[in-house]
Amino acid sequence: QGTGANPTWASAGGGKINQVVQAVQPVMATISIGDLVTWYDIGLTASITPSATDSTVLIQSSICGSLALTMYNLTFQLVRDSTPINLGTASGSRTVCTWGTGAQVSGNFDVQNVGHMFLDSPSTTSATAYKVQVRGPRDTGSFQRNRVPSDADAASHFIGTCTITLMEVLA
């Protein structure tokens, strides 16, 4: 086995990456948030077709952007096809989401570059789409994808990218 002059090793078995799909969203955009219950697409979607029903999909996302002046926190959810996944457990009136971020202090913009990972079990060999959605805690405001809210042409401001990467992991 694993000793001696010529060791041999057992096959690694499952856990091998079979395919990788990535979507990059480099375009700046304003996603207006108009109420407290609607989830809004941020324009970040990728699709993968698992080769076996027992494969899992490792999802990695990186969200770049900032909050509009009227917002305090943002919540995000990961969606498989039309179903939100990897959500927190409901507790009181708190927003149930995949992850949350941000806090605005004294009118300053809170710049975000947030990463997230989740290993999903879609149990299908059909094409499966994953996307990220955003929701705010107030009835007005916006998420500024890939930029600061003022969008001034200044070295202190940025243009970034949002990405989502899907990896099929064989069982």
Side-chain angles (χ1 to χ4, degrees), residues 3-4 6 8-9 12 17 27 39 67 70 77 81-82 85 105 119:
T3 61
N6 296 309
T8 59
W9 304 98
I17 302 298
V27 179
W39 288 93
L67 311 176
T70 59
Q77 71 176 5
D81 294 327
S82 60
I85 58 174
V105 181
L119 187 61

Side-chain angles (χ1 to χ4, degrees), residues 18-168:
N18 188 48
Q19 60 177 313
V20 178
V21 175
Q22 184 177 64
V24 178
Q25 179 50 268
V27 179
M28 294 185 298
T30 297
I31 291 91
S32 296
I33 297 169
D35 60 56
L36 297 172
V37 296
T38 304
W39 288 93
Y40 297 88
D41 290 349
I42 67 166
L44 188 61
T45 303
S47 183
I48 193 167
T49 304
S51 62
T53 57
D54 61 351
S55 290
T56 55
V57 177
L58 181 61
I59 305 127
Q60 294 179 305
S61 62
S62 177
I63 309 303
C64 180
S66 56
L67 311 176
L69 191 59
T70 59
M71 302 301 288
Y72 290 92
N73 296 300
L74 288 172
T75 52
F76 295 90
Q77 71 176 5
L78 182 61
V79 178
R80 179 198 328 117
D81 294 327
S82 60
T83 304
I85 58 174
N86 190 29
L87 299 175
T89 303
S91 177
S93 60
R94 294 168 183 87
T95 298
V96 176
C97 63
T98 305
W99 74 92
T101 185
Q104 186 175 353
V105 181
S106 304
N108 295 321
F109 302 127
D110 188 9
V111 176
Q112 305 295 323
N113 188 354
V114 181
H116 179 263
M117 286 178 92
F118 179 64
L119 187 61
D120 186 38
S121 299
S123 301
T124 186
T125 56
S126 298
T128 305
Y130 291 90
K131 67 182 176 180
V132 177
Q133 295 180 322
V134 66
R135 187 174 116 178
R138 293 188 170 199
D139 57 0
T140 60
S142 61
F143 172 66
Q144 311 298 318
R145 187 184 68 213
N146 297 333
R147 69 178 180 92
V148 296
S150 66
D151 196 27
D153 187 8
S156 60
H157 294 179
F158 68 89
I159 299 173
T161 63
C162 293
T163 63
I164 187 167
T165 305
L166 310 175
M167 292 175 263
E168 180 189 8

